[in-house]
Amino acid sequence: MDLDAITEYSALHAKPNGLVLQYGTAGFRTKAEHLDHVMFRMGLLAVLRSKQTKSTIGVMVTASHNPEEDNGVKLVDPLGEMLAPSWEEHATCLANAEEQDMPRVLMDISVKAAVNLQQDAFVVIGRDTRPSSEKLSQSVIDGVTVLEGQFHDYGLVTTPQLHYMVCCRNTSGRYGKATIEGYYEKLSRAFLELTNQAFCSGDDYRSLKVDCANGIGALKLREMEHYISQGLSVQLFNDGTKGKLNHLCGADFVKSHQKPPEGMEMKANERCCSFDGDADRIVYYYLDVDGHFHLIDGDKIATLISSFLKELLLEIGESLNIGVVQTAYANGSSTRYLEEVMKVPVYCTKTGVKHLHHKAQEFDIGVYFEANGHGTVLFSKAAETKIKQLAKESEDKKKEAAKMLENVIDLFNQAAGDAISDMLVIEAILTRKGLTVQQWDALYTDLPNRQLKVKVADRQVISTTDAERQVVTPLGLQEAINDLVKTYKLSRAFVRPSGTEDIVRVYAEADSQVSWGSSTGKCKVRVQLRG
Ligand code: G16
């Protein structure tokens, strides 16, 4: 390691004194102007991680759903999954080391993690469409090259596309071709095969309006359009030509405000969906004939997918175990429906797809979705092998079901939640089952709920336990929540510090909106902080 060169280059990406950041729910996120040193250092760290795992590592420059002025970075581990927790700690230490200490901290990490510094390193880099992203990804490249790592810059890609590339490169192409065309070809082939023989091919089933949050999703969906046009026609809104990224649009806005995005032309009963800023989340929605807005969030997406998979498993006659993973934000109605009607086991983890992904790996088929629309489905190696074998060797209906499952496996991005891939899975299921968006929505009725952001002086004073459903500190806060919650039926509420924004998130649901004391249905939760 050439410490002199590292010190010299690092000075060009100097850390502002005293700035402390944490590798949070999805990497580092803050105002873009505070991130130059973090990017350079994550370039260095990616090289160490690549040497240690003898694999390609990904670095994605994005702040996903955050405002345009923010930016962020996250590292992608060898199978396309999120960075291992012990390396998140290394990332935090390295990002926070004061300028003069940084080379020593870097050395300490390489010793602690037993990195063979002679090993070659390869890093792939991607970025979203934020104005700050290009320069920040150059800082990542500076970090990679000063440690003599090799790199490939994919430029503008969605976050899940970068996860896919990393997975392809580390599995000798078995997962797919590590190119954008390879991604489009793999997904579109599976999608068209799934929809090809569907009995329902009326126009209603084939067109979809997509709000792209003025982000990268628009560019990538445009590129992909002609690959899927035989099965689906998409009409793009908020494509970044006029509006600001994530501003009054996108999956996060639609989910948290429970209303349509601006800039979308919606007619009654039309199926619409929204991506978030880096196209790793998706939510669906429609307006009914009375103009009421209906949101179909990650919970209902998980339900649709699980019921389709269960039907196929029944047809192939295999007892592969299937589990659904949610977070505390999952609507109580969805959990009840999955457990009591569908008889599927449901598990709850902390917020952050890294936690859900990990839990989902315990099943033959692990379906994980956050209510905000972030999720995917994982198939174990054993399940995949069994399904492939049945698709080859069985006959008639069983063969057809196994082939369908084979395509479903290919259509999901198993490296990460992916709005484009999820959208195609959902469209294929709706087409195959001949379901309208209203019929899908009618599976169960969500409990009325609200999610709010609260700005506090220091969000870190709040700590939680029990998959973030109970507050530990400050003392007295949980009792205050309990006192409020017990006065309403089917009610639940929790508070947790965000790991991506400098705010505290508050969630509440109950059987009725009216009893929360406001004709506009706004939830009034007042807790007094003691201690
Ligand atoms: C990220 C994570 C999600 C998480 C969301 C909000 O989403 O990947 O798993 O639900 O942040 O996290 P928090 O409540 O801690 O702010 P994205 O789409 O912004 O990458």
PDB file of all heavy atoms in Angstrom, residues 4 6-8 39 54 131 142 189 199 215 237 265 267 280 318 342 354 393 456 459 461 464 479-480 488 505 520 527:
ATOM      1  N   ASP A   4       2.009   7.136   1.037  1.00  0.00           N
ATOM      2  CA  ASP A   4       2.273   8.531   0.641  1.00  0.00           C
ATOM      3  C   ASP A   4       1.286   8.971  -0.439  1.00  0.00           C
ATOM      4  O   ASP A   4       0.721  10.070  -0.384  1.00  0.00           O
ATOM      5  CB  ASP A   4       3.711   8.685   0.125  1.00  0.00           C
ATOM      6  CG  ASP A   4       4.701   8.567   1.281  1.00  0.00           C
ATOM      7  OD1 ASP A   4       4.264   8.746   2.440  1.00  0.00           O
ATOM      8  OD2 ASP A   4       5.882   8.268   1.016  1.00  0.00           O
ATOM      9  N   ILE A   6      -1.602   7.696  -1.039  1.00  0.00           N
ATOM     10  CA  ILE A   6      -2.959   7.757  -0.467  1.00  0.00           C
ATOM     11  C   ILE A   6      -3.151   9.084   0.280  1.00  0.00           C
ATOM     12  O   ILE A   6      -4.162   9.775   0.105  1.00  0.00           O
ATOM     13  CB  ILE A   6      -3.206   6.546   0.477  1.00  0.00           C
ATOM     14  CG1 ILE A   6      -3.240   5.258  -0.351  1.00  0.00           C
ATOM     15  CG2 ILE A   6      -4.506   6.704   1.251  1.00  0.00           C
ATOM     16  CD1 ILE A   6      -3.211   3.994   0.460  1.00  0.00           C
ATOM     17  N   THR A   7      -2.139   9.459   1.078  1.00  0.00           N
ATOM     18  CA  THR A   7      -2.225  10.715   1.836  1.00  0.00           C
ATOM     19  C   THR A   7      -2.349  11.903   0.874  1.00  0.00           C
ATOM     20  O   THR A   7      -3.184  12.809   1.070  1.00  0.00           O
ATOM     21  CB  THR A   7      -0.962  10.892   2.707  1.00  0.00           C
ATOM     22  OG1 THR A   7      -0.794   9.708   3.467  1.00  0.00           O
ATOM     23  CG2 THR A   7      -1.067  12.098   3.621  1.00  0.00           C
ATOM     24  N   GLU A   8      -1.545  11.850  -0.178  1.00  0.00           N
ATOM     25  CA  GLU A   8      -1.549  12.964  -1.139  1.00  0.00           C
ATOM     26  C   GLU A   8      -2.913  13.093  -1.832  1.00  0.00           C
ATOM     27  O   GLU A   8      -3.498  14.173  -1.916  1.00  0.00           O
ATOM     28  CB  GLU A   8      -0.459  12.667  -2.172  1.00  0.00           C
ATOM     29  CG  GLU A   8      -0.085  13.854  -3.042  1.00  0.00           C
ATOM     30  CD  GLU A   8       0.931  13.392  -4.090  1.00  0.00           C
ATOM     31  OE1 GLU A   8       1.935  12.732  -3.709  1.00  0.00           O
ATOM     32  OE2 GLU A   8       0.693  13.668  -5.272  1.00  0.00           O
ATOM     33  N   MET A  39     -16.803   9.403  -0.561  1.00  0.00           N
ATOM     34  CA  MET A  39     -16.748   8.673  -1.843  1.00  0.00           C
ATOM     35  C   MET A  39     -15.332   8.160  -2.098  1.00  0.00           C
ATOM     36  O   MET A  39     -15.133   7.010  -2.463  1.00  0.00           O
ATOM     37  CB  MET A  39     -17.173   9.592  -2.997  1.00  0.00           C
ATOM     38  CG  MET A  39     -18.588  10.072  -2.891  1.00  0.00           C
ATOM     39  SD  MET A  39     -19.759   8.719  -3.114  1.00  0.00           S
ATOM     40  CE  MET A  39     -21.276   9.508  -2.612  1.00  0.00           C
ATOM     41  N   LYS A  54     -11.791 -11.762  -2.911  1.00  0.00           N
ATOM     42  CA  LYS A  54     -11.311 -12.200  -4.243  1.00  0.00           C
ATOM     43  C   LYS A  54     -12.464 -12.117  -5.254  1.00  0.00           C
ATOM     44  O   LYS A  54     -12.665 -13.004  -6.088  1.00  0.00           O
ATOM     45  CB  LYS A  54     -10.782 -13.633  -4.194  1.00  0.00           C
ATOM     46  CG  LYS A  54      -9.628 -13.854  -3.225  1.00  0.00           C
ATOM     47  CD  LYS A  54      -9.014 -15.215  -3.467  1.00  0.00           C
ATOM     48  CE  LYS A  54      -7.831 -15.528  -2.612  1.00  0.00           C
ATOM     49  NZ  LYS A  54      -8.078 -15.887  -1.251  1.00  0.00           N
ATOM     50  N   PRO A 131     -27.546  15.713 -10.043  1.00  0.00           N
ATOM     51  CA  PRO A 131     -26.494  16.562 -10.621  1.00  0.00           C
ATOM     52  C   PRO A 131     -25.135  16.301  -9.961  1.00  0.00           C
ATOM     53  O   PRO A 131     -24.094  16.447 -10.603  1.00  0.00           O
ATOM     54  CB  PRO A 131     -26.973  17.983 -10.334  1.00  0.00           C
ATOM     55  CG  PRO A 131     -28.438  17.868 -10.084  1.00  0.00           C
ATOM     56  CD  PRO A 131     -28.716  16.485  -9.595  1.00  0.00           C
ATOM     57  N   ASP A 142     -11.183   7.715  -8.033  1.00  0.00           N
ATOM     58  CA  ASP A 142      -9.871   8.161  -7.514  1.00  0.00           C
ATOM     59  C   ASP A 142      -9.418   7.243  -6.377  1.00  0.00           C
ATOM     60  O   ASP A 142      -8.244   6.881  -6.300  1.00  0.00           O
ATOM     61  CB  ASP A 142      -9.948   9.605  -6.990  1.00  0.00           C
ATOM     62  CG  ASP A 142     -10.040  10.612  -8.124  1.00  0.00           C
ATOM     63  OD1 ASP A 142      -9.925  10.185  -9.295  1.00  0.00           O
ATOM     64  OD2 ASP A 142     -10.233  11.808  -7.840  1.00  0.00           O
ATOM     65  N   ARG A 189     -37.043 -11.822 -21.723  1.00  0.00           N
ATOM     66  CA  ARG A 189     -37.306 -13.198 -22.187  1.00  0.00           C
ATOM     67  C   ARG A 189     -38.263 -13.889 -21.200  1.00  0.00           C
ATOM     68  O   ARG A 189     -39.278 -14.458 -21.597  1.00  0.00           O
ATOM     69  CB  ARG A 189     -35.994 -13.977 -22.301  1.00  0.00           C
ATOM     70  CG  ARG A 189     -36.147 -15.283 -23.063  1.00  0.00           C
ATOM     71  CD  ARG A 189     -34.847 -16.074 -23.171  1.00  0.00           C
ATOM     72  NE  ARG A 189     -33.681 -15.256 -23.443  1.00  0.00           N
ATOM     73  CZ  ARG A 189     -32.673 -15.077 -22.589  1.00  0.00           C
ATOM     74  NH1 ARG A 189     -32.696 -15.666 -21.403  1.00  0.00           N
ATOM     75  NH2 ARG A 189     -31.641 -14.329 -22.910  1.00  0.00           N
ATOM     76  N   PHE A 199     -54.380 -16.145 -20.933  1.00  0.00           N
ATOM     77  CA  PHE A 199     -55.686 -16.127 -21.613  1.00  0.00           C
ATOM     78  C   PHE A 199     -56.225 -14.719 -21.770  1.00  0.00           C
ATOM     79  O   PHE A 199     -57.061 -14.440 -22.586  1.00  0.00           O
ATOM     80  CB  PHE A 199     -56.689 -17.009 -20.854  1.00  0.00           C
ATOM     81  CG  PHE A 199     -57.087 -16.475 -19.521  1.00  0.00           C
ATOM     82  CD1 PHE A 199     -58.161 -15.612 -19.406  1.00  0.00           C
ATOM     83  CD2 PHE A 199     -56.373 -16.824 -18.368  1.00  0.00           C
ATOM     84  CE1 PHE A 199     -58.525 -15.128 -18.165  1.00  0.00           C
ATOM     85  CE2 PHE A 199     -56.747 -16.339 -17.138  1.00  0.00           C
ATOM     86  CZ  PHE A 199     -57.825 -15.482 -17.035  1.00  0.00           C
ATOM     87  N   GLY A 215     -36.322  10.286 -12.212  1.00  0.00           N
ATOM     88  CA  GLY A 215     -35.030   9.659 -11.936  1.00  0.00           C
ATOM     89  C   GLY A 215     -34.583   8.700 -13.020  1.00  0.00           C
ATOM     90  O   GLY A 215     -35.124   8.655 -14.129  1.00  0.00           O
ATOM     91  N   PHE A 237     -44.273   8.947 -17.014  1.00  0.00           N
ATOM     92  CA  PHE A 237     -44.519  10.303 -16.499  1.00  0.00           C
ATOM     93  C   PHE A 237     -43.375  10.666 -15.569  1.00  0.00           C
ATOM     94  O   PHE A 237     -42.684   9.778 -15.055  1.00  0.00           O
ATOM     95  CB  PHE A 237     -45.841  10.354 -15.732  1.00  0.00           C
ATOM     96  CG  PHE A 237     -47.022  10.103 -16.626  1.00  0.00           C
ATOM     97  CD1 PHE A 237     -47.417   8.801 -16.903  1.00  0.00           C
ATOM     98  CD2 PHE A 237     -47.704  11.149 -17.219  1.00  0.00           C
ATOM     99  CE1 PHE A 237     -48.479   8.551 -17.744  1.00  0.00           C
ATOM    100  CE2 PHE A 237     -48.772  10.907 -18.068  1.00  0.00           C
ATOM    101  CZ  PHE A 237     -49.168   9.599 -18.329  1.00  0.00           C
ATOM    102  N   GLU A 265     -51.239  11.796 -15.457  1.00  0.00           N
ATOM    103  CA  GLU A 265     -52.639  11.912 -15.896  1.00  0.00           C
ATOM    104  C   GLU A 265     -53.331  10.594 -15.602  1.00  0.00           C
ATOM    105  O   GLU A 265     -53.005   9.583 -16.211  1.00  0.00           O
ATOM    106  CB  GLU A 265     -52.698  12.182 -17.401  1.00  0.00           C
ATOM    107  CG  GLU A 265     -52.120  13.511 -17.795  1.00  0.00           C
ATOM    108  CD  GLU A 265     -51.539  13.476 -19.207  1.00  0.00           C
ATOM    109  OE1 GLU A 265     -51.954  12.606 -20.005  1.00  0.00           O
ATOM    110  OE2 GLU A 265     -50.656  14.304 -19.474  1.00  0.00           O
ATOM    111  N   LYS A 267     -56.870   8.326 -15.223  1.00  0.00           N
ATOM    112  CA  LYS A 267     -58.320   8.182 -15.435  1.00  0.00           C
ATOM    113  C   LYS A 267     -58.822   7.089 -14.495  1.00  0.00           C
ATOM    114  O   LYS A 267     -58.029   6.277 -14.027  1.00  0.00           O
ATOM    115  CB  LYS A 267     -58.597   7.771 -16.875  1.00  0.00           C
ATOM    116  CG  LYS A 267     -58.263   8.841 -17.879  1.00  0.00           C
ATOM    117  CD  LYS A 267     -58.992   8.563 -19.200  1.00  0.00           C
ATOM    118  CE  LYS A 267     -58.285   9.276 -20.341  1.00  0.00           C
ATOM    119  NZ  LYS A 267     -57.545   8.377 -21.205  1.00  0.00           N
ATOM    120  N   ASP A 280     -35.453   1.239  -7.128  1.00  0.00           N
ATOM    121  CA  ASP A 280     -35.447  -0.034  -6.400  1.00  0.00           C
ATOM    122  C   ASP A 280     -36.745  -0.263  -5.632  1.00  0.00           C
ATOM    123  O   ASP A 280     -36.906  -1.283  -4.981  1.00  0.00           O
ATOM    124  CB  ASP A 280     -34.219  -0.199  -5.485  1.00  0.00           C
ATOM    125  CG  ASP A 280     -34.073   0.896  -4.451  1.00  0.00           C
ATOM    126  OD1 ASP A 280     -34.985   1.735  -4.329  1.00  0.00           O
ATOM    127  OD2 ASP A 280     -33.031   0.907  -3.767  1.00  0.00           O
ATOM    128  N   GLU A 318     -44.894 -29.943  -5.033  1.00  0.00           N
ATOM    129  CA  GLU A 318     -43.668 -29.973  -4.218  1.00  0.00           C
ATOM    130  C   GLU A 318     -43.901 -29.211  -2.924  1.00  0.00           C
ATOM    131  O   GLU A 318     -44.498 -28.130  -2.933  1.00  0.00           O
ATOM    132  CB  GLU A 318     -42.514 -29.313  -4.977  1.00  0.00           C
ATOM    133  CG  GLU A 318     -41.915 -30.181  -6.045  1.00  0.00           C
ATOM    134  CD  GLU A 318     -41.293 -31.457  -5.506  1.00  0.00           C
ATOM    135  OE1 GLU A 318     -40.706 -31.420  -4.413  1.00  0.00           O
ATOM    136  OE2 GLU A 318     -41.409 -32.492  -6.184  1.00  0.00           O
ATOM    137  N   MET A 342     -54.013 -17.086   3.894  1.00  0.00           N
ATOM    138  CA  MET A 342     -53.094 -17.805   2.992  1.00  0.00           C
ATOM    139  C   MET A 342     -52.260 -18.867   3.690  1.00  0.00           C
ATOM    140  O   MET A 342     -51.595 -19.657   3.044  1.00  0.00           O
ATOM    141  CB  MET A 342     -52.179 -16.800   2.296  1.00  0.00           C
ATOM    142  CG  MET A 342     -52.906 -16.014   1.228  1.00  0.00           C
ATOM    143  SD  MET A 342     -51.745 -14.996   0.332  1.00  0.00           S
ATOM    144  CE  MET A 342     -50.500 -16.174  -0.080  1.00  0.00           C
ATOM    145  N   LYS A 354     -31.535  -4.970   3.726  1.00  0.00           N
ATOM    146  CA  LYS A 354     -30.447  -5.892   4.078  1.00  0.00           C
ATOM    147  C   LYS A 354     -30.926  -6.894   5.145  1.00  0.00           C
ATOM    148  O   LYS A 354     -30.553  -8.061   5.116  1.00  0.00           O
ATOM    149  CB  LYS A 354     -29.212  -5.130   4.551  1.00  0.00           C
ATOM    150  CG  LYS A 354     -29.442  -4.222   5.741  1.00  0.00           C
ATOM    151  CD  LYS A 354     -28.242  -3.329   5.998  1.00  0.00           C
ATOM    152  CE  LYS A 354     -28.513  -2.381   7.154  1.00  0.00           C
ATOM    153  NZ  LYS A 354     -27.485  -1.352   7.304  1.00  0.00           N
ATOM    154  N   GLU A 393     -38.509 -32.662 -16.814  1.00  0.00           N
ATOM    155  CA  GLU A 393     -38.898 -34.068 -16.803  1.00  0.00           C
ATOM    156  C   GLU A 393     -40.390 -34.352 -16.648  1.00  0.00           C
ATOM    157  O   GLU A 393     -40.832 -35.434 -17.004  1.00  0.00           O
ATOM    158  CB  GLU A 393     -38.149 -34.793 -15.664  1.00  0.00           C
ATOM    159  CG  GLU A 393     -36.663 -34.850 -15.943  1.00  0.00           C
ATOM    160  CD  GLU A 393     -35.867 -35.287 -14.727  1.00  0.00           C
ATOM    161  OE1 GLU A 393     -36.480 -35.666 -13.717  1.00  0.00           O
ATOM    162  OE2 GLU A 393     -34.633 -35.226 -14.816  1.00  0.00           O
ATOM    163  N   VAL A 456     -36.095  16.319  14.804  1.00  0.00           N
ATOM    164  CA  VAL A 456     -35.720  16.509  16.211  1.00  0.00           C
ATOM    165  C   VAL A 456     -34.256  16.944  16.267  1.00  0.00           C
ATOM    166  O   VAL A 456     -33.531  16.815  15.279  1.00  0.00           O
ATOM    167  CB  VAL A 456     -35.889  15.205  17.041  1.00  0.00           C
ATOM    168  CG1 VAL A 456     -37.334  14.759  17.098  1.00  0.00           C
ATOM    169  CG2 VAL A 456     -35.024  14.092  16.495  1.00  0.00           C
ATOM    170  N   ARG A 459     -31.745  12.685  16.514  1.00  0.00           N
ATOM    171  CA  ARG A 459     -32.590  11.482  16.357  1.00  0.00           C
ATOM    172  C   ARG A 459     -31.973  10.276  17.052  1.00  0.00           C
ATOM    173  O   ARG A 459     -32.659   9.305  17.362  1.00  0.00           O
ATOM    174  CB  ARG A 459     -32.836  11.206  14.873  1.00  0.00           C
ATOM    175  CG  ARG A 459     -31.602  10.763  14.119  1.00  0.00           C
ATOM    176  CD  ARG A 459     -31.819  10.735  12.627  1.00  0.00           C
ATOM    177  NE  ARG A 459     -30.582  11.089  11.960  1.00  0.00           N
ATOM    178  CZ  ARG A 459     -29.994  10.365  11.014  1.00  0.00           C
ATOM    179  NH1 ARG A 459     -30.532   9.253  10.603  1.00  0.00           N
ATOM    180  NH2 ARG A 459     -28.873  10.758  10.464  1.00  0.00           N
ATOM    181  N   VAL A 461     -31.071   9.886  20.004  1.00  0.00           N
ATOM    182  CA  VAL A 461     -31.498   9.648  21.391  1.00  0.00           C
ATOM    183  C   VAL A 461     -32.564   8.557  21.439  1.00  0.00           C
ATOM    184  O   VAL A 461     -32.819   7.968  22.476  1.00  0.00           O
ATOM    185  CB  VAL A 461     -32.028  10.920  22.124  1.00  0.00           C
ATOM    186  CG1 VAL A 461     -30.969  11.991  22.199  1.00  0.00           C
ATOM    187  CG2 VAL A 461     -33.308  11.434  21.485  1.00  0.00           C
ATOM    188  N   THR A 464     -34.306   1.514  19.802  1.00  0.00           N
ATOM    189  CA  THR A 464     -35.468   0.616  19.753  1.00  0.00           C
ATOM    190  C   THR A 464     -35.053  -0.845  19.906  1.00  0.00           C
ATOM    191  O   THR A 464     -33.878  -1.180  19.789  1.00  0.00           O
ATOM    192  CB  THR A 464     -36.197   0.766  18.400  1.00  0.00           C
ATOM    193  OG1 THR A 464     -35.280   0.383  17.375  1.00  0.00           O
ATOM    194  CG2 THR A 464     -36.683   2.168  18.156  1.00  0.00           C
ATOM    195  N   GLU A 479     -44.066   4.218  27.048  1.00  0.00           N
ATOM    196  CA  GLU A 479     -45.277   4.254  27.882  1.00  0.00           C
ATOM    197  C   GLU A 479     -46.273   5.252  27.290  1.00  0.00           C
ATOM    198  O   GLU A 479     -47.476   4.996  27.250  1.00  0.00           O
ATOM    199  CB  GLU A 479     -44.956   4.665  29.329  1.00  0.00           C
ATOM    200  CG  GLU A 479     -44.253   3.604  30.159  1.00  0.00           C
ATOM    201  CD  GLU A 479     -42.785   3.410  29.771  1.00  0.00           C
ATOM    202  OE1 GLU A 479     -42.237   4.286  29.062  1.00  0.00           O
ATOM    203  OE2 GLU A 479     -42.191   2.390  30.144  1.00  0.00           O
ATOM    204  N   ALA A 480     -45.760   6.370  26.819  1.00  0.00           N
ATOM    205  CA  ALA A 480     -46.651   7.381  26.236  1.00  0.00           C
ATOM    206  C   ALA A 480     -47.336   6.825  24.987  1.00  0.00           C
ATOM    207  O   ALA A 480     -48.539   7.038  24.775  1.00  0.00           O
ATOM    208  CB  ALA A 480     -45.851   8.636  25.892  1.00  0.00           C
ATOM    209  N   TYR A 488     -57.568   2.750  21.264  1.00  0.00           N
ATOM    210  CA  TYR A 488     -58.156   2.473  19.934  1.00  0.00           C
ATOM    211  C   TYR A 488     -58.110   0.991  19.610  1.00  0.00           C
ATOM    212  O   TYR A 488     -57.246   0.259  20.103  1.00  0.00           O
ATOM    213  CB  TYR A 488     -57.413   3.270  18.855  1.00  0.00           C
ATOM    214  CG  TYR A 488     -57.420   4.748  19.123  1.00  0.00           C
ATOM    215  CD1 TYR A 488     -56.272   5.402  19.544  1.00  0.00           C
ATOM    216  CD2 TYR A 488     -58.606   5.467  18.995  1.00  0.00           C
ATOM    217  CE1 TYR A 488     -56.290   6.757  19.828  1.00  0.00           C
ATOM    218  CE2 TYR A 488     -58.629   6.829  19.276  1.00  0.00           C
ATOM    219  CZ  TYR A 488     -57.476   7.468  19.693  1.00  0.00           C
ATOM    220  OH  TYR A 488     -57.503   8.798  19.967  1.00  0.00           O
ATOM    221  N   ARG A 505     -39.057   8.739  12.294  1.00  0.00           N
ATOM    222  CA  ARG A 505     -40.287   8.310  11.630  1.00  0.00           C
ATOM    223  C   ARG A 505     -41.302   7.844  12.672  1.00  0.00           C
ATOM    224  O   ARG A 505     -40.944   7.173  13.644  1.00  0.00           O
ATOM    225  CB  ARG A 505     -40.007   7.163  10.670  1.00  0.00           C
ATOM    226  CG  ARG A 505     -39.074   7.542   9.534  1.00  0.00           C
ATOM    227  CD  ARG A 505     -39.213   6.609   8.349  1.00  0.00           C
ATOM    228  NE  ARG A 505     -38.088   6.726   7.441  1.00  0.00           N
ATOM    229  CZ  ARG A 505     -37.964   7.663   6.502  1.00  0.00           C
ATOM    230  NH1 ARG A 505     -38.892   8.586   6.355  1.00  0.00           N
ATOM    231  NH2 ARG A 505     -36.898   7.688   5.720  1.00  0.00           N
ATOM    232  N   THR A 520     -60.438  15.454   8.731  1.00  0.00           N
ATOM    233  CA  THR A 520     -59.592  15.239   7.545  1.00  0.00           C
ATOM    234  C   THR A 520     -58.855  13.913   7.652  1.00  0.00           C
ATOM    235  O   THR A 520     -58.170  13.510   6.747  1.00  0.00           O
ATOM    236  CB  THR A 520     -58.523  16.344   7.417  1.00  0.00           C
ATOM    237  OG1 THR A 520     -57.751  16.304   8.609  1.00  0.00           O
ATOM    238  CG2 THR A 520     -59.089  17.702   7.204  1.00  0.00           C
ATOM    239  N   VAL A 527     -46.726  12.843  21.808  1.00  0.00           N
ATOM    240  CA  VAL A 527     -46.037  12.184  22.911  1.00  0.00           C
ATOM    241  C   VAL A 527     -45.136  13.205  23.587  1.00  0.00           C
ATOM    242  O   VAL A 527     -44.548  14.065  22.948  1.00  0.00           O
ATOM    243  CB  VAL A 527     -45.190  10.981  22.434  1.00  0.00           C
ATOM    244  CG1 VAL A 527     -46.060   9.808  22.103  1.00  0.00           C
ATOM    245  CG2 VAL A 527     -44.318  11.348  21.259  1.00  0.00           C
TER     246      VAL A 527
END
